Structure formats: C-alpha cells, structure tokens
Amino acid sequence: AAPAPAPDAQVIAHKFGGTSVASAQRYRHVAELLLQRPEPTQVVVVSAMKGVTDALIELATLAAHGQPRWRDAWQALRQRHHEAATELLGEDSADLLQWLDGRFDKLAGLLEALAVIGGLPEEVLERVQGLGEVFSAQLLGRYFNRLGHPCAVLDARDVLVVAHGELGVSVDWERSAANLAAWRVDNPQSRVVVTGFVARDGQGRITTLGRNGSDYSGAIFAALFEAAELHIWTDVDGVLSADPRVVPEAVTLATLSYDEACELAYLGAKVVHPQTMSPAIARQMPIVIRNTFNPSHPGTRIASSSEPSGPIKGLTLSEQLAVLNLEGSGLIGVPGTAERVFAALRHAQV
Ligand code: ADP
Ligand code: ASP
Ligand code: MG
C-alpha cells in the first residue's frame, strides 16, 4: 500500500498530458497557469509532447526492421525538440540544445544497433519509448528557471522503482521514498518538474508504466511528495458521461467516487489511466481532472464518495470486441473448451 501520512495542504501535485504540452506555446501556458496558483510547493508531472511517444516507438520499429528512413524520422523529432527549446529559452537555449543533442546522439547509437541486430528487444523499446518524458521535463523545468522561478527537474528513473506483475505495475514504495529523500537533499526547490511514464525495475533496468501511464506517475509522485491533492490537466473539462469523440452530447461529471472512476477507467474511459486511483485511495487524496485550456472550470473531483446522480453515471465503449457464443451438448462439462477454441482459431490465423 502507498504510505498514508497526514495530508500536507502545502503541496499540490499536477500532471499535464501530451496535449497540454504539445508546443512551446503550450509549455508557456502551463507555466503561467502554475505560477498563478497559491500552493507554496508544486510537484509537476509531465507527459511527452503530443505524439512523441508514438514517434519514438515508430523510430525503434523502423530501425529494427532495417528501414533507413528511421534517420529522417529521428531528425524530425530532434528538430521538433530543438524548436521548442529555442522558442522557450531564446538566447539562453545553448545548454539545453547541447543536452538534447547528447541524448539524440545516444538514441541514434541505439537505433543503429537495432538496425544491425534486426530486432527490438523489450528492454530497448522500454528505454526508447520513455525518452519523450525526459525531454519534456527539461523543457518545462528550464523554462521556469529562465523566468526566474527556481525549479528542480526530477528524472523518475533516478528514484521510482516498480515491478511488473499480473495485476499491472506495482510500486516499491519503500525504495522509491528512500531514493526521493536522498534526491531531495540536493534538490530542495519548492517547484519540482517530474518525468511521467518512466521508472526502473528492481534490477535497475529502465522501464515504463504502460501507455497512458503518466496519470499513474502523477498519483505515485503525489503520494511520494505527500501532496494534499492531485490535479490531472488534460484537454477536456473533466470526466464526461461518455467519450466526447463518440458522444458529442456527453456532459461533465462534477464528482465521482474512486470506485466509479476505477470502473470507468478499467472499462476504457481513456481520460484517466486505471491504476491512477490506487495511490489516491490509500491516502484518501482527491484527484481533480481538469482542462488546461479552460482552467476556470472546476473539473471532476474524484474522492471517496460522489454526489448521487441518476442510475447511470457514465458509459464506455470497448471497440473491436467479438462475442463468440458456443453451444452444444458436447461442450457441457468439457474442461479447457475455451483454450481449445482459441488454439484452433490461432492455428487458423483468424
Ligand atoms: P492526456 O494527453 O491529457 O493524457 P488523453 O488523450 O490520454 O489526454 O485523455 C483525454 C481524452 O480522453 C479526451 O480528449 C477524450 O477524447 C478521451 N475520453 C475518453 N473517454 C472519456 C470520458 N469518459 N471523459 C472524458 N474524456 C474521455
Ligand atoms: N507519453 C506516454 C504515452 O503516450 C505516457 C502518457 O502520456 O501518459 O503513452
Ligand atoms: Mg492520457
């Protein structure tokens, strides 16, 4: 279970998704929004810029298939980060550009190795796909410093230890808290920008929390920093009664219980990663889902209880699902029927 000390109202954790940090202009907006807030200590977990995780996975896949066009894709990604750095830091961007070049050169080395071996080991994919968050945290953190607001940048791979199990990714709270305490000794700033999505496993290998996992990172770091609340900033006003891309009439829900939010998330409401609620439940920390582009909207508050509503709180949709109905007296009491059916389907490549 997550540690559950008394909540400290002085600390608020925030998480910004890819759409909130899609360009230099959006990083500026995020910084303004955070600077206007009252809490003395801010923990800010960031995703990669929109589309960057997909682009990194594509790069690794192209290289592993020996497709030389990975070099153009690599160049374009490097260029996108260069442009954001130059726009944000102006004449002070030299350091960051040099730092980015170092990372991109290392990445190119890895991709060249993939092209030689002609495959994509899981460990290499994990390392590559998390780089967008590492770049993103530097962009925002250095921008705060340039504005004259001291800010530390925490690479979650230096502190967060997780394990992958059947029930998803679990956190080694004891090791992670000890690592964070040691890191804090040298980084006492009251604003910390943290990489979402990335971590290490118990053997020290770089890993990730799974696609869309920065929400979970937000909750983990909110718990580790003993924040009073976690605000998840995205591109919609909160959790809606259905996916607004499918149901434009969907309405924003003012409150949800942890149970209701878990259920919607597990059954496909993409707005929040399903594991996000568990560190919050353990310490009764409210999560507020809100809109970066409409910050005056109160959003959706997820806490232990919710306001009563009609019989249905929300709808989710599972796409690409087939229901297979098998009938016949020959199936009754036959063990392993499902396994045999799926083996036959696999064999037939259906
Ligand atoms: P972020 O980059 O901020 O993590 P995501 O794209 O992962 O954002 O999640 C936000 C998106 O989730 C929304 O733009 C919306 O299209 C989608 N979504 C799906 N179901 C819901 C829902 N029930 N309520 C709100 N948004 C939903
Ligand atoms: N950037 C990662 C992804 O696209 C994690 C996240 O944004 O939540 O899956
Ligand atoms: Mg997301």
Side-chain angles (χ1 to χ4, degrees):
D8 178 353
Q10 301 292 297
V11 185
I12 302 284
H14 300 267
K15 177 262 170 179
F16 289 88
T19 42
S20 303
V21 292
S23 62
Q25 191 203 348
R26 301 231 167 133
Y27 281 102
R28 259 189 233 114
H29 174 72
V30 165
E32 267 165 39
L33 190 158
L34 287 168
L35 288 170
Q36 279 167 19
R37 293 193 48 88
E39 63 271 4
T41 302
Q42 271 177 359
V43 179
V44 185
V45 175
V46 287
S47 284
M49 291 168 90
K50 186 181 163 77
V52 166
T53 310
D54 288 338
L56 286 162
I57 295 170
E58 171 78 5
L59 263 182
T61 311
L62 283 174
H65 284 96
Q67 304 254 0
R69 64 195 158 91
W70 72 258
R71 288 182 195 277
D72 297 333
W74 173 88
Q75 187 67 41
L77 198 61
R78 179 171 167 276
Q79 187 60 24
R80 186 170 170 203
H81 284 87
H82 262 232
E83 276 166 18
T86 316
E87 265 190 63
L88 284 173
L89 303 181
E91 65 272 20
D92 299 327
S93 59
D95 261 9
L96 179 55
L97 292 177
Q98 203 184 0
W99 180 90
L100 281 169
D101 283 346
R103 300 283 161 150
F104 272 91
D105 286 348
K106 267 196 175 165
L107 172 61
L110 260 179
L111 296 169
E112 262 154 19
L114 289 180
V116 172
I117 61 172
L120 181 50
E122 188 60 29
E123 220 176 310
V124 180
L125 175 63
E126 288 288 87
R127 181 180 281 264
V128 170
Q129 70 177 343
L131 285 173
E133 274 68 12
V134 179
F135 305 148
S136 180
Q138 288 290 334
L139 284 165
L140 183 62
R142 291 186 193 224
Y143 181 58
F144 272 122
N145 283 310
R146 183 180 189 230
L147 294 177
H149 298 280
C151 174
V153 177
L154 170 57
D155 186 333
R157 299 173 304 180
D158 294 338
V159 300
L160 179 57
V161 183
V162 300
H164 292 268
E166 271 177 26
L167 297 177
V169 175
S170 60
V171 178
D172 184 332
W173 290 103
E174 217 169 297
R175 280 177 73 183
S176 304
N179 290 343
L180 179 62
W183 182 87
R184 256 333 226 166
V185 172
D186 296 324
N187 299 276
Q189 292 90 327
S190 56
R191 180 173 286 111
V192 182
V193 174
V194 189
T195 56
F197 191 38
V198 290
R200 285 202 191 251
D201 68 15
Q203 283 75 49
R205 287 174 305 216
I206 291 173
T207 188
T208 64
L209 308 187
R211 292 308 305 270
N212 223 4
S214 293
D215 296 328
Y216 188 25
S217 305
I220 293 168
F221 280 99
L224 286 171
F225 276 91
E226 298 173 14
E229 283 182 2
L230 166 65
H231 294 207
I232 294 183
W233 297 86
T234 182
D235 61 349
V236 283
D237 283 338
V239 180
L240 301 166
S241 51
D243 184 344
R245 286 171 299 193
V246 181
V247 184
E249 307 89 320
V251 293
T252 310
L253 304 169
T255 59
L256 276 178
S257 68
Y258 292 122
D259 288 350
E260 289 163 342
C262 283
E263 204 147 337
L264 282 172
Y266 272 107
L267 295 172
K270 197 193 153 214
V271 65
V272 60
H273 185 281
Q275 285 197 268
T276 311
M277 269 60 73
S278 63
I281 293 169
R283 50 187 291 114
Q284 294 293 293
M285 171 183 67
I287 300 175
V288 190
I289 313 281
R290 42 196 316 195
N291 193 344
T292 316
F293 308 103
N294 187 14
S296 57
H297 193 289
T300 300
R301 195 174 179 81
I302 304 172
S304 40
S305 62
S306 70
E307 287 164 6
S309 65
I312 296 173
K313 203 87 186 220
L315 295 171
T316 62
L317 175 72
S318 296
E319 285 174 321
Q320 311 232 328
L321 197 71
V323 175
L324 203 60
N325 192 4
L326 291 178
E327 287 177 30
S329 54
L331 291 173
I332 297 172
V334 179
T337 304
E339 280 93 336
R340 284 190 289 134
V341 169
F342 282 108
L345 289 173
R346 250 196 320 275
H347 186 65
Q349 296 195 322
V350 176

Short mmCIF file of all heavy atoms in Angstrom, two decimals, residues 31 61 101 121 191 202 285 321:
data_model
loop_
_atom_site.label_atom_id
_atom_site.label_comp_id
_atom_site.label_asym_id
_atom_site.label_seq_id
_atom_site.Cartn_x
_atom_site.Cartn_y
_atom_site.Cartn_z
N ALA A 31 3.12 26.96 -17.71
CA ALA A 31 3.92 27.66 -16.69
C ALA A 31 3.12 28.82 -16.09
O ALA A 31 3.08 28.99 -14.87
CB ALA A 31 5.23 28.16 -17.31
N THR A 61 10.86 0.83 -34.23
CA THR A 61 10.33 -0.23 -35.08
C THR A 61 10.96 -0.16 -36.48
O THR A 61 11.36 -1.18 -37.05
CB THR A 61 8.79 -0.11 -35.18
OG1 THR A 61 8.28 0.03 -33.85
CG2 THR A 61 8.16 -1.32 -35.81
N ASP A 101 21.13 17.36 -27.88
CA ASP A 101 21.98 16.71 -28.89
C ASP A 101 22.65 15.46 -28.32
O ASP A 101 22.73 14.43 -28.99
CB ASP A 101 23.02 17.68 -29.45
CG ASP A 101 22.39 18.65 -30.44
OD1 ASP A 101 21.24 18.40 -30.87
OD2 ASP A 101 23.02 19.67 -30.76
N PRO A 121 14.48 -5.75 -28.86
CA PRO A 121 14.31 -6.33 -27.53
C PRO A 121 13.45 -5.42 -26.65
O PRO A 121 13.56 -4.19 -26.74
CB PRO A 121 15.74 -6.42 -26.98
CG PRO A 121 16.64 -6.26 -28.15
CD PRO A 121 15.89 -5.46 -29.17
N ARG A 191 9.50 23.97 -6.29
CA ARG A 191 8.80 23.51 -7.50
C ARG A 191 9.67 22.42 -8.14
O ARG A 191 10.87 22.62 -8.35
CB ARG A 191 8.57 24.65 -8.48
CG ARG A 191 7.85 24.20 -9.75
CD ARG A 191 7.45 25.34 -10.66
NE ARG A 191 6.32 26.10 -10.14
CZ ARG A 191 6.39 27.35 -9.69
NH1 ARG A 191 7.52 27.99 -9.70
NH2 ARG A 191 5.31 27.96 -9.24
N GLY A 202 13.21 -3.52 -10.34
CA GLY A 202 14.01 -3.89 -9.17
C GLY A 202 15.45 -4.19 -9.52
O GLY A 202 16.34 -4.11 -8.66
N MET A 285 -6.59 10.79 -0.99
CA MET A 285 -6.19 12.04 -1.65
C MET A 285 -7.13 12.29 -2.85
O MET A 285 -7.23 11.43 -3.74
CB MET A 285 -4.75 11.89 -2.15
CG MET A 285 -4.29 13.03 -3.04
SD MET A 285 -2.63 12.74 -3.65
CE MET A 285 -2.89 11.34 -4.73
N LEU A 321 -14.40 -5.72 -30.38
CA LEU A 321 -14.66 -6.83 -29.48
C LEU A 321 -15.59 -7.80 -30.19
O LEU A 321 -16.57 -7.38 -30.80
CB LEU A 321 -15.34 -6.27 -28.23
CG LEU A 321 -15.35 -7.12 -27.00
CD1 LEU A 321 -13.95 -7.21 -26.42
CD2 LEU A 321 -16.29 -6.51 -25.97
#
